[in-house]
């Protein structure tokens, strides 16, 4: 198909175009009208939606969710790319491509230094700088596996919007073990409950409380066709996790199997008498560094390390990243200076690899071992490697 750069304009949508975007989302994602209307009223706002216009008519659209994510204890802004859609009569003309490139400029302006998305194709988004950044362990367990987790002496009760504060404390204590998890505010929790109530059948939320009535863990789940689907499990201790397993076991009359997509470091298999269950590793969301300088300045370096190095990043779609960065690390923080792109550097990698290293999906050591990083001086490289260890990434917000 012919590219239409001459007649195409990419910009924020007008309020009058909201109905068109709704129709586009119904068409491209097969979403029911009721859900699209609810999303438009409760979640979407035109100032986060960009469109590609052909001769003034909307041909494609893309949404940028304003999120904050945890990098361990640190919090940074992240633009969540969603609903990338081009009407079929306008496809393969570069509209999605132009919107993705424009989204980088917008996210940078808004201080969203990372971006994430759930891809329909890894290849499609990789060419614009996003790369695989998350995976989960998918367990298929037998209900009988849970039998050994006896009654913990704690209570269980359904949770709802009144419990958001205590749920969020449990969630935060859990999510801060990871890199990339979303910081949820009151509105996001409320919307989660509203959405479940309105659109999800057989979907429940229960919590477990200790003897002092403190919430120690919670579970979102659904039961369908004798399968118990764990949608989210968060707890503040092993005891709370075991209590939730016992809660699951109380459903042995309703379900035979448990399906659970757990964080990549979850070690439940080690707790079970029979570890012979099905365990799959599932690739998940992609990540992209939007603003390399700010990411380096906000990266949670080990405070015990003091080092300085230069790094060249190759990024054709975000020219502000396509440079050499001089980085001086001390007391857990980095001072970063941007140098010209044509000076030699201690290490060099693509924006995709830097994104994986920055979120912690792979450590610099592994990136080097996979020959994804070029470094002429091996002695220097060994010192720099220690600055970027692998972390466990985990996100359970779907957008
Ligand atoms: C995926 C989608 C947004 C692509 O839109 P588009 O405007 O046709 O994409 P572009 O023309 O900008 O394509 C950019 C490049 O990706 C390639 N591409 C386009 N669609 C592709 C696909 N489905 N699979 C693989 N590559 C694809 C194009 O050929 C082009 O490559 P080129 O620059 O080498 O020519 C569109 O097909 C769509 O709306 N699909 C349904 C909704 C959906 O699945 N969205 C993605 C949600 S994650």
């Amino acid at each position: 198909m012919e590219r239409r750069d001459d007649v195409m304009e990419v910009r924020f949508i007008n309020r009058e175009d909201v109905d068109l975007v709704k129709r586009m989302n119904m068409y491209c994602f097969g979403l029911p009208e009721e859900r699209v209307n609810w999303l438009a009223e409760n979640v979407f706002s035109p100032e986060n939606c960009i469109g590609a216009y052909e001769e003034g008519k909307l041909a494609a659209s893309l949404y940028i969710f304003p999120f904050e994510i945890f990098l361990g204890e640190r919090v940074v802004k992240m633009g969540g790319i969603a609903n990338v859609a081009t009407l079929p009569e306008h496809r393969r003309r570069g509209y999605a491509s132009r919107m993705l490139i424009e989204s980088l400029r917008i996210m940078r302006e808004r201080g969203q230094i990372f971006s994430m998305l759930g891809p329909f194709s890894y290849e499609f988004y990789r060419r614009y700088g996003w790369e695989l950044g998350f995976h989960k362990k998918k367990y298929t367990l037998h209900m009988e596996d849970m039998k050994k987790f006896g009654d913990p002496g704690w209570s269980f009760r359904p949770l709802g919007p009144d419990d958001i504060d205590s749920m969020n404390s449990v969630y935060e204590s859990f999510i801060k073990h990871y890199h990339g998890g979303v910081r949820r505010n009151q509105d996001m929790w409320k919307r989660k409950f509203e959405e479940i109530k309105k659109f999800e059948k057989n979907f429940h939320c229960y919590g477990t409380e200790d003897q002092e009535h403190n919430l120690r863990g919670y579970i979102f789940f659904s039961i369908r066709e004798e399968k118990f689907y764990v949608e989210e499990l968060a707890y503040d201790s092993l005891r709370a996790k075991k209590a939730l397993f016992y809660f699951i076991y109380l459903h042995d009359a309703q379900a035979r199997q448990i399906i659970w997509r757990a964080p990549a470091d979850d070690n439940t298999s080690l707790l079970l008498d029979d570890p012979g269950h099905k365990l799959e590793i599932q690739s998940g969301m992609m990540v992209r560094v939007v603003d390399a300088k700010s990411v380096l300045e906000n990266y949670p370096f080990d405070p015990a390390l003091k080092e300085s190095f230069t790094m060249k990043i190759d990024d054709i779609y975000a020219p502000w990243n396509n440079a050499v960065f001089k980085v001086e690390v001390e007391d857990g923080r980095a001072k970063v200076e941007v140098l010209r792109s044509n000076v030699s550097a201690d290490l060099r990698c693509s924006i995709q690899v830097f994104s994986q290293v920055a979120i912690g999906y792979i450590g610099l050591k592994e990136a080097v071992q996979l020959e994804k990083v070029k470094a002429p001086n091996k002695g220097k490289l060994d010192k720099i490697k220690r600055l970027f260890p692998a972390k466990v990434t985990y996100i359970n917000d779907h957008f």
Side-chain angles (χ1 to χ4, degrees):
M1 285 257 191
E2 186 195 349
R3 290 185 86 93
R4 305 293 296 271
D5 287 359
D6 49 335
V7 288
M8 192 210 313
E9 185 194 4
V10 175
R11 58 170 166 84
F12 287 107
I13 62 156
N14 304 325
R15 282 196 178 270
E16 305 81 74
D17 292 329
V18 169
D19 279 342
L20 266 175
V21 173
K22 284 202 268 185
R23 263 180 271 149
M24 204 180 281
N25 286 334
M26 278 160 61
Y27 184 91
C28 291
F29 302 103
L31 292 172
E33 189 166 5
E34 202 196 348
R35 185 140 199 164
V36 169
N37 283 335
W38 184 86
L39 288 168
E41 276 158 34
N42 296 279
V43 182
F44 287 83
S45 56
E47 54 272 25
N48 294 328
C49 188
I50 56 176
Y53 290 81
E54 184 173 306
E55 293 170 348
K57 278 172 63 185
L58 190 68
S61 69
L62 169 158
Y63 197 77
I64 309 171
F65 278 102
F67 285 121
E68 288 179 325
I69 53 164
F70 288 102
L71 296 179
E73 290 286 331
R74 268 187 209 168
V75 175
V76 296
K77 286 187 184 176
M78 181 274 279
I81 301 290
N83 292 33
V84 183
T86 304
L87 287 171
E89 60 271 34
H90 299 289
R91 285 182 189 165
R92 301 295 210 276
R93 291 178 179 171
Y95 286 23
S97 148
R98 278 278 306 274
M99 291 191 303
L100 286 166
I101 296 164
E102 177 64 5
S103 77
L104 294 172
R105 195 191 58 73
I106 294 167
M107 288 187 282
R108 183 187 185 218
E109 220 172 77
R110 294 179 169 181
Q112 293 159 346
I113 64 177
F114 279 101
S115 173
M116 289 176 194
L117 55 82
F120 76 100
S121 146
Y122 290 94
E123 220 184 329
F124 179 81
Y125 291 103
R126 178 177 292 126
R127 66 167 84 183
Y128 304 106
W130 280 265
E131 189 49 280
L132 175 65
F134 296 83
H135 69 250
K136 285 183 180 168
K137 264 188 188 174
K138 183 182 170 193
Y139 290 102
T140 304
L141 302 169
H142 304 293
M143 192 50 96
E144 284 304 298
D145 290 333
M146 298 286 126
K147 193 173 183 174
K148 65 176 287 195
F149 301 105
D151 186 347
W154 288 3
S155 56
F156 303 107
R157 69 174 179 87
L159 302 178
D162 290 344
D163 301 297
I164 286 174
D165 286 341
S166 50
M167 289 179 76
N168 194 52
S169 310
V170 172
Y171 170 75
E172 288 207 353
S173 76
F174 184 78
I175 204 78
K176 282 178 182 173
H177 293 290
Y178 301 107
H179 272 207
V182 168
R183 172 147 89 173
R184 297 178 183 162
N185 57 31
Q186 283 273 335
D187 283 350
M188 290 166 79
W189 280 105
K190 274 189 200 146
R191 278 203 301 268
K192 197 173 165 81
F193 278 113
E194 273 169 33
E195 209 169 358
I196 289 169
K197 198 168 154 198
K198 218 167 160 48
F199 300 107
E200 308 285 357
K201 284 197 200 106
N202 298 325
F203 209 103
H204 312 277
C205 179
Y206 262 79
T208 183
E209 288 179 341
D210 61 19
Q211 284 91 346
E212 283 77 45
H213 304 292
N214 298 310
L215 186 74
R216 305 295 300 274
Y218 67 82
I219 179 169
F220 282 96
F221 64 98
S222 60
I223 302 173
R224 304 188 300 273
E225 293 161 2
E226 300 204 330
K227 290 194 172 81
F228 188 107
Y229 291 90
V230 179
E231 308 292 343
E232 181 161 300
L233 192 77
Y235 43 84
D236 67 4
S237 57
L238 180 61
R239 183 159 178 200
K241 183 180 186 179
K242 288 181 177 176
L244 291 167
F245 284 163
Y246 177 69
F247 174 77
I248 294 175
Y249 183 62
L250 294 174
H251 297 80
D252 65 336
Q254 286 168 273
R256 289 179 196 287
Q257 275 190 331
I258 303 155
I259 315 286
W260 175 30
R261 288 178 182 79
D265 67 342
D266 184 85
N267 54 7
T268 297
S269 301
L270 301 174
L271 290 174
L272 304 179
D273 293 335
D274 178 6
H277 47 263
K278 191 165 155 195
L279 187 54
E280 294 160 88
I281 302 290
Q282 285 195 334
S283 296
M285 306 270 284
M286 297 179 88
V287 63
R288 192 200 205 281
V289 163
V290 172
D291 188 332
K293 181 172 186 282
S294 300
V295 163
L296 287 164
E297 285 166 345
N298 285 284
Y299 184 89
F301 291 104
D302 178 347
L305 299 176
K306 184 171 184 296
E307 201 60 62
S308 72
F309 66 94
T310 52
M311 176 181 211
K312 164 89 178 91
I313 296 173
D314 296 308
D315 188 348
I316 49 172
Y317 292 117
W320 54 89
N321 291 334
N322 199 45
V324 174
F325 298 88
K326 182 165 179 262
V327 187
E328 287 175 32
V329 178
E330 195 170 359
D331 297 330
R333 285 272 176 194
K335 271 197 216 140
V336 185
E337 198 185 324
V338 185
L339 310 176
R340 291 190 325 275
S341 64
N342 57 354
V343 294
S344 66
D346 296 322
L347 51 111
R348 177 175 186 165
C349 66
S350 66
I351 189 66
Q352 289 87 347
V353 171
F354 180 61
S355 300
Q356 289 181 311
V357 169
I359 199 74
Y361 185 62
I362 56 175
L364 185 57
K365 189 174 163 196
E366 197 174 357
V368 169
Q369 188 251 326
L370 294 169
E371 298 179 353
K372 286 172 179 280
V373 172
K374 285 192 192 130
N377 181 339
K378 299 288 170 242
K380 178 90 182 176
L381 180 64
D382 283 341
K383 289 186 182 153
I384 309 170
K385 274 189 213 163
R386 294 183 306 155
L387 291 170
F388 296 97
K391 305 278 178 183
V392 184
T393 59
Y394 176 65
I395 182 169
N396 203 38
D397 289 71
H398 312 285
F399 52 88

